[in-house]
Amino acid sequence: MDRYKLLVLVLCFSLTTTDPVGPESRKDSEKNEEDDVSSEVEETKGKPDSEYIKELTDAMNKEILTLQEYADAMKSQSSKDETNKESHLEQMAYTLKLLQKSLKKHSEPTWLPNQKAELSVNEKSLEENPQDILNSLPPLPEETEPELTPELKEAKELYDAAVAKLDRRTLDVDASILQIKQAAEVGYVPAKIKLAWSYLYGEGVEIDFEKAKSIFEELAAEGNADAHAGMGFLYATGIGVPVSQAKAVVHYTIGAIGDSSYAQMALAYRYWSGHTVQSSCPKAMDLYMKVAAKVASKMTLNGGPAIHRTRLIDEVEGGGGALDTDLIEYYQLLAEKGDVQAQVGLGQLHFQGGRGVTLDINKAYHYFQQAAKTGNAVAHAFLGKIYLEGGDGIVADNDTAFKYFKKAAELNNPVGQSGLGLMYLQGRGVPKDTTAAFKYFTMAANQGWVEGQFHLGFMYFGGIGVRRDFKQANKYFSHASQSGHVLALHQLALMHAHGLGVLKSCTTAVELLKSVCERGRWGARLQAAHGAWRAHSPHRAFLQYAALAERGYEVAQTNAAYLLDNGDVRLFPEAERHVRALQLWGRAATQGCSAARVKLGDYHYYGLGTPQDLEAAAHHYRVASEQLHNAQATFNLGYMHERGLGLAKDAHLAKRCYDLAADTAPDARLPAALALAALHTRLALQDLAASPLAMIFITGDESALLYNWDLYVITTLLGMLGVVMYMRRPQQQQQQQQAAN
């Protein structure tokens, strides 16, 4: 017992002398261990690796020495343009100084031992904000064009005068190109570029691909952007060089970087359509936006020359193109006899140009003056526009412009009302008055005048005189854009690109920007190409259309394909003719040209430039019929249903297609009627072959004739009656229309 008591006493004594260990005490111990580890890590961080610091110090010292040596080399390289170079060297030295101070701030003092300097108060504040450092840098000297020699100055004047004549669409092209050639011989680069394109187009000179290629290659080697654009066109079309779309894209890219409008448009179209490059709407929008900004900046308040777009395939089938010389002379005769409408019409034609009429402000002024004497409101309004802008020897005069605009506005002419609004908006000859400007623009816009709609939208867009309202701006810009107003199209494109008042849409913005770009001064090439075609020069016409087709002009693509399709162009081997035409038809069809879509169907139907594929032909015909409402495509679908070519053979669907074709276009009524007559005849013959009368000769059973003869007679008579009624239907409709009129 004594032994047990002694053990109990020892156990109690041990329990009283030791600390109890539980979960809380275990956590405290772990926490203490972590604190010990973190303190050790901090101690190791506080002691940097000496070898690492040494290597980093040596590397940064070498970099600074290299920059200093580069600055010294630049300083001793040449003594030309000392002022500009001093500014560059000062900027470099200042940047090096900031770099050194930045290194001092984030490193040990031993990094730059011999280059200690005290920081001023301003420099210390600059280190706080990097943007302030950038703002404090001295500005770079503005890049100025190199001063031209007297010979080049004279060549530039000669070139500018020649281009001004061509922009007015003068008929004396040869003399203008001769002036450009003289300027090019002196060495003026823009004249060389223009001459190279003239050799390509055969404009004022004979077509010479080698000379054009030589000029482009020479200037492209010097880095000229427009020359790279020219080389891109050559490689894209295979003119003078083997076809290479890869090289074309490279040249277009270099030209676009160098701000060549041709290269930017060609490359933007490829990104938009996915032709030879991966489709990219943002890239296309970026390129189109650059060109559109140039077009909008050079657009006058008068809107610039009118561009008349003519599809050769439509003109051959009876569409309108340029006005005939005899018709113009007839209007001139009427105008000289005092016909006011002829005077106003000729004045507008010469004011805007187009349709075979040369842009001539002086002639427009002459005809408007004659019409204004009779009190014609339109003549007064356009005289106000002429005096507001001036040009061609007519000095701009705000007071005279205001007088003519006011007279036209009093006669409730929307052109005059819009002119008055513009003068009040800009304060031209009158005090600025946004309220009066808004009133006159509203009056003009309510009458549907495009300039009133645009300026009213502009006031809403900028919040000028009214509360800013992007939705109202979008409304009026949309109305003005429907009439083709370039500045309205540009503003509308920007709104869609940035989502101002409308949903942000890259696709819509690109389509609008493309439309703006195609209204640049280079669009006049369409009329020059059309004139070459009317002058029976298909090669000159094709080359100009091909150049515009690369820019993405749908009309140019259609016309170039049409010339190849007809066999008028002999620039390529015969085996390539239909292949090239098929490619151009495809590009035009993608842009919504119904005639091009039908041609795609024809090429697949007949196997021209591609293996014959009736199903593909039917697909293209169906797209043209259902989406573009083309009567020819609908008729072709009916024929394919009738014969079972690429489609299920179905007489009822064939008849339906023929009827739809006749209803779609009046020109399709006669072909559709003949096709229906043939269809009914074919069905009648088939019924006759299956009739009891035919079975008599086969089986000799006369009872069959008595059995179905009455049904056969009734069916045949109904078919003949249907043909007669269909033939009479167009005539009856015409009589009903005449009675209604």
Side-chain angles (χ1 to χ4, degrees):
M1 284 297 292
D2 296 335
R3 187 177 298 174
Y4 286 114
K5 290 180 180 179
L6 180 61
L7 290 174
V8 171
L9 290 173
V10 172
L11 180 61
C12 292
F13 179 77
S14 62
L15 289 174
T16 56
T17 56
T18 57
D19 294 332
V21 178
E24 296 298 330
S25 60
R26 184 179 300 171
K27 290 182 181 179
D28 294 338
S29 62
E30 291 178 355
K31 184 176 181 181
N32 293 333
E33 291 178 359
E34 290 179 358
D35 294 340
D36 295 339
V37 172
S38 61
S39 61
E40 292 178 0
V41 172
E42 290 178 357
E43 289 178 0
T44 56
K45 286 184 179 180
K47 298 179 180 180
D49 188 358
S50 59
E51 294 182 359
Y52 172 75
I53 293 177
K54 183 178 180 182
E55 292 177 359
L56 189 58
T57 304
D58 294 339
M60 295 305 300
N61 282 330
K62 288 181 181 179
E63 186 68 21
I64 293 172
L65 290 175
T66 302
L67 292 174
Q68 289 177 342
E69 290 175 359
Y70 175 74
D72 295 337
M74 289 292 295
K75 190 172 183 179
S76 60
Q77 182 179 2
S78 175
S79 59
K80 296 180 180 180
D81 300 331
E82 289 296 333
T83 56
N84 291 339
K85 289 192 175 182
E86 286 178 1
S87 62
H88 279 293
L89 292 173
E90 290 176 359
Q91 184 182 18
M92 186 179 296
Y94 186 72
T95 306
L96 287 172
K97 184 178 180 182
L98 293 177
L99 177 61
Q100 292 174 359
K101 292 173 182 177
S102 178
L103 291 174
K104 288 180 181 179
K105 180 179 179 181
H106 301 287
S107 62
E108 293 290 333
T110 57
W111 284 26
L112 300 172
N114 299 325
Q115 300 183 15
K116 294 183 179 180
E118 295 181 357
L119 296 178
S120 63
V121 177
N122 294 332
E123 290 172 345
K124 289 181 180 178
S125 62
L126 289 178
E127 290 183 356
E128 300 294 333
N129 188 1
Q131 185 62 40
D132 293 338
I133 297 177
L134 296 177
N135 294 336
S136 67
L137 293 174
L140 290 172
E142 296 182 0
E143 295 184 1
T144 58
E145 295 183 359
E147 187 175 355
L148 300 177
T149 62
E151 293 80 6
L152 289 178
K153 286 183 179 179
E154 185 178 353
K156 183 179 183 302
E157 294 175 358
L158 197 64
Y159 169 77
D160 292 340
V163 171
K165 291 180 183 178
L166 293 175
D167 289 342
R168 288 197 299 268
R169 301 172 187 175
T170 179
L171 299 178
D172 192 6
V173 177
D174 294 346
S176 301
I177 298 300
L178 180 60
Q179 290 180 340
I180 291 174
K181 190 175 182 180
Q182 293 173 355
E185 291 174 352
V186 177
Y188 188 56
V189 174
K192 287 185 175 182
I193 296 293
K194 184 70 175 178
L195 183 61
W197 284 107
S198 298
Y199 279 126
L200 276 178
Y201 298 150
E203 184 181 41
V205 292
E206 293 295 328
I207 295 176
D208 194 330
F209 298 147
E210 289 300 323
K211 287 185 179 179
K213 175 188 171 185
S214 176
I215 295 174
F216 283 145
E217 285 181 337
E218 175 190 352
L219 296 178
E222 299 175 0
N224 185 277
D226 292 321
H228 278 290
M231 290 302 300
F233 168 71
L234 294 181
Y235 279 112
T237 56
I239 295 175
V241 295
V243 176
S244 176
Q245 298 299 332
K247 291 183 179 179
V249 171
V250 170
H251 282 291
Y252 282 150
T253 303
I254 297 174
I257 294 173
D259 203 31
S260 168
S261 298
Y262 186 96
Q264 288 170 342
M265 281 189 68
L267 195 60
Y269 170 71
R270 288 177 178 246
Y271 279 121
W272 179 67
S273 62
H275 174 57
T276 70
V277 296
Q278 186 176 1
S279 179
S280 175
C281 184
K283 290 182 179 179
M285 183 173 68
D286 180 61
L287 291 167
Y288 273 133
M289 197 171 288
K290 293 177 181 178
V291 183
K294 301 176 192 175
V295 174
S297 65
K298 295 182 180 180
M299 192 61 58
T300 62
L301 297 175
N302 295 333
I307 299 174
H308 188 69
R309 305 187 181 197
T310 304
R311 289 189 179 89
L312 301 183
I313 191 171
D314 294 337
E315 184 168 345
V316 171
E317 295 175 359
L323 296 176
D324 293 332
T325 305
D326 295 337
L327 185 59
I328 296 175
E329 291 178 354
Y330 174 70
Y331 280 120
Q332 289 175 346
L333 179 62
L334 291 178
E336 294 300 329
K337 288 185 177 181
D339 189 300
V340 177
Q341 296 301 323
Q343 292 169 349
V344 172
L346 285 173
Q348 289 177 327
L349 282 174
H350 284 293
F351 182 75
Q352 294 183 337
R355 304 202 67 176
V357 179
T358 305
L359 189 148
D360 193 331
I361 299 298
N362 288 311
K363 286 186 178 181
Y365 177 81
H366 168 71
Y367 288 117
F368 285 140
Q369 279 284 8
Q370 290 182 346
K373 293 178 181 178
T374 64
N376 185 272
V378 177
H380 279 93
F382 276 91
L383 283 172
K385 290 169 73 71
I386 290 175
Y387 275 109
L388 187 66
E389 293 296 318
D392 284 354
I394 300 176
V395 181
D397 189 337
N398 291 329
D399 294 335
T400 307
F402 182 82
K403 180 185 71 173
Y404 281 115
F405 280 143
K406 187 173 180 59
K407 179 65 176 177
E410 290 174 353
L411 298 173
N412 199 30
N413 180 268
V415 183
Q417 293 167 348
S418 177
L420 278 181
L422 183 62
M423 297 192 75
Y424 279 114
L425 179 65
Q426 298 180 348
R428 302 181 65 172
V430 292
K432 281 188 178 182
D433 190 342
T434 56
T435 303
F438 182 81
K439 180 186 74 172
Y440 284 115
F441 287 147
T442 303
M443 294 169 63
N446 290 338
Q447 297 190 59
W449 180 237
V450 58
E451 292 183 7
Q453 294 168 342
F454 165 72
H455 287 108
L456 197 58
F458 184 76
M459 293 186 73
Y460 276 115
F461 182 82
I464 303 173
V466 293
R467 184 178 180 181
R468 175 174 289 179
D469 191 336
F470 288 138
K471 291 185 177 180
Q472 286 292 326
N474 175 64
K475 170 187 172 182
Y476 287 108
F477 284 149
S478 298
H479 289 327
S481 65
Q482 292 175 4
S483 301
H485 195 281
V486 179
L487 297 179
L489 286 167
H490 187 233
Q491 290 292 334
L492 197 61
L494 296 180
M495 293 182 71
H496 280 281
H498 300 290
L500 300 176
V502 293
L503 291 176
K504 190 175 182 179
S505 174
C506 178
T507 303
T508 305
V510 167
E511 291 176 353
L512 292 170
L513 289 170
K514 181 175 181 291
S515 183
V516 173
C517 295
E518 290 179 357
R519 284 166 169 80
R521 56 182 179 81
W522 42 80
R525 184 63 56 187
L526 282 172
Q527 191 165 324
H530 182 259
W533 179 75
R534 290 175 65 89
H536 306 287
S537 181
H539 287 176
R540 289 172 51 208
F542 171 79
L543 290 167
Q544 295 180 75
Y545 281 134
L548 292 172
E550 279 294 302
R551 285 183 183 259
Y553 283 79
E554 175 267 314
V555 175
Q557 293 168 350
T558 303
N559 292 345
Y562 173 80
L563 293 173
L564 287 170
D565 183 70
N566 281 355
D568 297 333
V569 179
R570 304 293 182 183
L571 299 174
F572 311 104
E574 182 64 21
E576 297 181 9
R577 182 166 65 89
H578 286 112
V579 176
R580 290 175 176 270
L582 178 64
Q583 184 186 48
L584 290 168
W585 287 127
R587 294 184 190 179
T590 305
Q591 299 196 59
C593 178
S594 62
R597 181 66 67 177
V598 172
K599 281 292 185 179
L600 280 181
D602 293 343
Y603 273 50
H604 284 90
Y605 184 90
Y606 295 107
L608 300 176
T610 183
Q612 187 179 27
D613 189 342
L614 296 180
E615 293 182 358
H619 166 73
H620 290 298
Y621 289 146
R622 186 174 290 109
V623 172
S625 173
E626 297 176 357
Q627 299 181 11
L628 305 174
H629 308 290
N630 186 282
Q632 178 70 54
T634 308
F635 182 91
N636 293 350
L637 284 174
Y639 182 82
M640 296 180 75
H641 273 299
E642 180 184 353
R643 301 301 179 97
L645 301 172
L647 295 173
K649 189 173 183 179
D650 192 327
H652 298 288
L653 286 177
K655 181 181 181 301
R656 182 186 177 189
C657 289
Y658 290 145
D659 289 336
L660 287 175
D663 293 337
T664 302
D667 295 340
R669 290 176 180 174
L670 179 59
L674 295 175
L676 281 170
L679 175 62
H680 287 296
T681 303
R682 185 183 300 277
L683 294 176
L685 292 175
Q686 291 175 357
D687 292 341
L688 180 62
S691 66
L693 183 62
M695 294 179 64
I696 293 175
F697 296 100
I698 298 173
T699 64
D701 186 4
E702 295 182 0
S703 62
L705 176 62
L706 298 175
Y707 184 74
N708 281 330
W709 177 254
D710 53 349
L711 182 61
Y712 168 74
V713 172
I714 294 173
T715 305
T716 304
L717 289 175
L718 288 175
M720 294 178 63
L721 182 62
V723 173
V724 173
M725 293 297 294
Y726 187 85
M727 293 293 291
R728 293 185 58 189
R729 187 172 65 174
Q731 183 178 1
Q732 293 175 354
Q733 291 178 351
Q734 185 176 3
Q735 292 175 355
Q736 292 175 0
Q737 291 178 358
Q738 291 177 354
N741 294 332

